Amino acid sequence: MDKNLVQRIFGGVLYGFLVIFCTTSIGSQLLDKISPNLVSQQNLFYGLITFFLFVGAWECMKMMKFDPKSWEKWAVFPLIVFVFYRFSKRFFQHGFYFDFNLSEILALSLIVIAVITLFKFSKELYYDNGKLIFTVIYTALPFGFALGLPKFSSVDNTFTLEVFFLFILIWSSDTFAYFTGKFFGKHKMAPKISPKKTWEGFAGGVVLTLILGFFVEKYFPELRGNWMVVGVLVAVFGPLGDLVESQLKRNFGVKDSGNIIPGHGGILDRLDSLIICAPVVYLYFILEKFI
C-alpha cells in the first residue's frame, strides 16, 4: 500500500477520533471508566477548541512570515489569549445566547472585513500590523464563536451535539462536493485559487448536505435551530472557508499550513471550513431565536 495513503488514513482516523472524543459524550464516558468525574465533556470540548486555536494561530503566523524583529510577532498570542478569554468567560458562565450585544456584532463584522481584505486588499497583509490583526481575527474570533454552539448543564452533566453534527455536515459537504465535481464537474468555481472546485461539485454538496441535514433534524430534534438550514449554510459557507485559506496560502506561497496531521497538512488545512461556518451558524442560532 502507498505510504502516503497509509499516512492519510492514519491521520484522518486520528483527527476524526479526537473530534468525536471531545464533542460527544463518548469522551467523558471513557474517562469516567478510568476515574469518575475526571474531566467533564464541556472541558474536553473547551480543550479541543483551545488546542485548535493555538496551533492554528501558530500556523497562520508561520505562513504570513512575520519579521522576526517586529513587535507585532510577539503581540499575537497575548492578543489571542485576551480575545479568547472573553469568549471563554462566557462559555463557563453560560453567557452565550442570552443577548446579541455590540461586541458580537463587531466580531462578526471584523471577520467579514478580514475576508474582504484578503481577497481585495491583500497588500495590506504584507505589513506586520496587518498580519497581526488578520491572525487574531482569523483564529481567535471564529474559535471563540465555536464555544457558543453547544449547550451544556453542569447540574445534570449534559452536553449537546451541535458541534459534532457541524463537523459531520462539513465533512459530508466536502465529500459530496468532491465526488460530484469529480464525475460531473466542468465549470471551475475559482480556477486561480482552487482549481479543483467546480460549480457542479458545489451544487452537489448543497443538495446532498441538505438531505443529510434533514435526517439530523428528524432524529435529533433537541438540537438548536433547523438543521436543514444549517446544512445549506455549511454547504454554502464551507467552500468559502476553503477558498479563504487557499487564498491565504497562495498570497504567501505556502502549500500547506503545517504538518501536524500526517498526510493531511495542518490544523488550518482541516478546519478552514469550520473557521467560516462556526460564526455563520452562531449568527443563525441567534437570529433563529427572534423568528
Side-chain angles (χ1 to χ4, degrees), residues 156-227:
D156 53 11
N157 195 32
T158 59
F159 186 86
T160 55
L161 298 173
E162 283 86 355
V163 177
F164 169 71
F165 281 113
L166 180 58
F167 272 104
I168 294 296
L169 289 179
I170 289 173
W171 294 339
S172 300
S173 175
D174 289 344
T175 303
F176 293 149
Y178 171 78
F179 282 108
T180 306
K182 183 178 178 64
F183 291 109
F184 304 104
K186 292 182 179 179
H187 301 87
K188 301 293 185 182
M189 179 183 290
K192 292 183 179 180
I193 303 173
S194 186
K196 294 182 180 180
K197 287 192 177 300
T198 64
W199 285 108
E200 291 82 2
F202 173 76
V206 171
V207 173
L208 294 170
T209 306
L210 173 64
I211 294 172
L212 180 59
F214 166 78
F215 287 105
V216 175
E217 175 70 16
K218 180 177 180 180
Y219 293 107
F220 298 90
E222 70 276 10
L223 299 178
R224 284 191 176 109
N226 183 309
W227 280 75

Side-chain angles (χ1 to χ4, degrees), residues 18 70 76 83 113 117 158 174 194 200 206:
L18 181 64
S70 69
V76 170
V83 172
I113 292 170
T117 300
T158 59
D174 289 344
S194 186
E200 291 82 2
V206 171

Side-chain angles (χ1 to χ4, degrees), residues 32-226:
D32 279 347
K33 294 180 180 179
I34 300 173
S35 176
N37 302 318
L38 181 62
V39 182
S40 66
Q41 195 62 51
Q42 57 264 29
N43 284 330
L44 283 175
F45 172 65
Y46 178 77
L48 177 71
I49 296 299
T50 304
F51 170 74
F52 284 160
L53 166 64
F54 284 108
V55 176
W58 175 254
E59 291 178 352
C60 193
M61 288 178 63
K62 287 180 62 180
M63 280 196 294
M64 300 185 81
K65 302 180 178 70
F66 280 73
D67 182 342
K69 298 180 181 179
S70 69
W71 67 267
E72 289 91 348
K73 176 182 178 181
W74 303 104
V76 170
F77 276 96
L79 274 176
I80 283 175
V81 168
F82 172 76
V83 172
F84 195 63
Y85 165 75
R86 302 301 300 176
F87 286 98
S88 301
K89 186 177 179 181
R90 297 182 65 195
F91 175 73
F92 287 107
Q93 294 178 350
H94 305 270
F96 287 101
Y97 294 101
F98 290 99
D99 58 5
F100 191 41
N101 55 44
L102 182 61
S103 63
E104 289 173 325
I105 297 173
L106 175 61
L108 289 165
S109 300
L110 287 174
I111 294 172
V112 174
I113 292 170
V115 171
I116 293 173
T117 300
L118 177 65
F119 284 99
K120 296 295 184 180
F121 309 100
S122 59
K123 289 184 179 179
E124 297 297 327
L125 301 181
Y126 296 140
Y127 301 99
D128 279 0
N129 54 3
K131 296 174 184 177
L132 167 64
I133 295 169
F134 182 86
T135 301
V136 173
I137 293 174
Y138 185 60
T139 56
L141 296 185
F143 287 120
F145 279 118
L147 292 178
L149 297 180
K151 296 184 291 184
F152 71 87
S153 170
S154 301
V155 177
D156 53 11
N157 195 32
T158 59
F159 186 86
T160 55
L161 298 173
E162 283 86 355
V163 177
F164 169 71
F165 281 113
L166 180 58
F167 272 104
I168 294 296
L169 289 179
I170 289 173
W171 294 339
S172 300
S173 175
D174 289 344
T175 303
F176 293 149
Y178 171 78
F179 282 108
T180 306
K182 183 178 178 64
F183 291 109
F184 304 104
K186 292 182 179 179
H187 301 87
K188 301 293 185 182
M189 179 183 290
K192 292 183 179 180
I193 303 173
S194 186
K196 294 182 180 180
K197 287 192 177 300
T198 64
W199 285 108
E200 291 82 2
F202 173 76
V206 171
V207 173
L208 294 170
T209 306
L210 173 64
I211 294 172
L212 180 59
F214 166 78
F215 287 105
V216 175
E217 175 70 16
K218 180 177 180 180
Y219 293 107
F220 298 90
E222 70 276 10
L223 299 178
R224 284 191 176 109
N226 183 309

Side-chain angles (χ1 to χ4, degrees), residues 8 21 40 83 172 203 260 281:
R8 287 188 63 83
F21 187 84
S40 66
V83 172
S172 300
I260 192 172
V281 173

